[in-house]
Amino acid sequence: MDTTDHVLVVGKGAQEFARNMGHKIEDDLNTEKSRSLWLEWKRRTDPDHYLDPKKRAQAWYDAGLQMVREGLIDPDHYWGTINCDGVSPKGDVCGVTTTSGLSWKIPGRVGDSPIVGAGLYVDNEVGAAGSTGRGEANLYNLCSFFVVEEMRRGAHPKDAGIAALKRVAKNTIEKRLLNAQGQPNFGLNFYVLNAKGEYAGVSMYESKYAVCTEKGPQTLDTEPLYQGKLTE
């Protein structure tokens, strides 16, 4: 963004641009562990490759979650997204959302993290909001933009985040995305900070988040929309 007039560069063009800017392009970022887990996931889903696209996608999702339940994959690292927001001593607001993307996604899939207003939105006069969890839900609802606009209208960070979760829940109507109680069957967290330094962490189900204030670093419970944990 310092050297072009563009906001988003993706795909092969992004790689060429990075190389031209002097960045080293790695051939393969897999580790022995990540490749072995990918092969295990392939083994579990191979029998389902001839299903129709919707059933195949569900089989991929179910296989990954089953590996989480069996302890093969750390649930805190299955999704691989981090959001960090802050207020500087001068009162400037900043935010970043970085991600490795959903595990074993379809090649070419673009998630919410790089989309301004979905996985991250910052307004220096109002505050910042970022997210982890199901990226498609953020893309459908432009949640981070919605949260910041709620704060602009005077909402506390917690109330703004809960309003976004309720919006997502209301707009989630596909049966494959709902549990037996009719609630979203996916996790979604929002980390919200206003320009005054007030903050909140909210989530679809019970979770945790970290903050650092004049009291030092702390790990806190989020404010959940629904009780219980995603895997329950």
Side-chain angles (χ1 to χ4, degrees):
M1 292 182 71
D2 290 335
T3 55
T4 79
D5 187 45
H6 307 315
V7 173
L8 196 64
V9 181
V10 302
K12 184 178 179 181
Q15 189 178 73
E16 290 297 326
F17 176 76
R19 182 179 287 109
N20 290 337
M21 295 301 296
H23 294 286
K24 181 181 179 182
I25 306 300
E26 300 289 347
D27 292 332
D28 189 353
L29 296 179
N30 272 305
T31 64
E32 183 177 345
K33 180 179 179 181
S34 68
R35 181 170 293 282
S36 66
L37 289 171
W38 176 72
L39 290 172
E40 172 65 11
W41 173 77
K42 290 278 288 183
R43 184 189 68 78
R44 295 186 184 208
T45 58
D46 273 343
D48 299 316
H49 277 344
Y50 292 99
L51 295 174
D52 64 71
K54 284 189 176 180
K55 290 183 178 179
R56 184 168 64 244
Q58 186 63 43
W60 292 346
Y61 181 74
D62 290 344
L65 285 185
Q66 184 61 37
M67 291 171 70
V68 170
R69 295 188 188 99
E70 293 177 11
L72 292 172
I73 301 173
D74 181 352
D76 292 332
H77 294 88
Y78 181 60
W79 312 104
T81 304
I82 297 171
N83 166 252
C84 183
D85 307 310
V87 179
S88 78
K90 295 182 179 180
D92 290 321
V93 181
C94 63
V96 60
T97 298
T98 178
T99 180
S100 63
L102 180 69
S103 297
W104 307 312
K105 57 198 169 288
I106 294 173
R109 180 256 190 184
V110 177
D112 64 310
S113 297
I115 305 302
V116 177
L120 176 70
Y121 195 74
V122 180
D123 187 310
N124 206 41
E125 295 182 353
V126 181
S131 181
T132 61
R134 180 173 168 78
E136 279 67 20
N138 279 333
L139 287 166
Y140 290 153
N141 296 279
L142 283 180
C143 295
S144 294
F145 176 76
F146 175 80
V147 170
V148 172
E149 290 305 293
E150 286 291 290
M151 290 195 293
R152 191 190 304 278
R153 288 189 282 269
H156 185 274
K158 184 191 79 171
D159 297 326
I162 290 293
L165 288 171
K166 290 180 177 178
R167 181 176 181 172
V168 170
K170 181 179 180 180
N171 290 338
T172 302
I173 58 176
E174 292 183 73
K175 291 183 178 179
R176 67 186 182 87
L177 298 176
L178 299 172
N179 62 21
Q181 289 74 43
Q183 302 166 351
N185 62 10
F186 52 82
L188 188 61
N189 292 18
F190 294 117
Y191 314 98
V192 190
L193 175 72
N194 67 21
K196 295 185 292 186
E198 297 172 325
Y199 57 86
V202 302
S203 54
M204 195 69 75
Y205 297 94
E206 295 174 8
S207 185
K208 293 183 181 295
Y209 71 112
V211 298
C212 188
T213 65
E214 66 277 3
K215 299 178 182 179
Q218 295 176 281
T219 300
L220 304 175
D221 293 327
T222 58
E223 184 77 24
L225 181 62
Y226 300 113
Q227 296 301 314
K229 298 183 179 180
L230 173 64
T231 53
E232 293 178 344

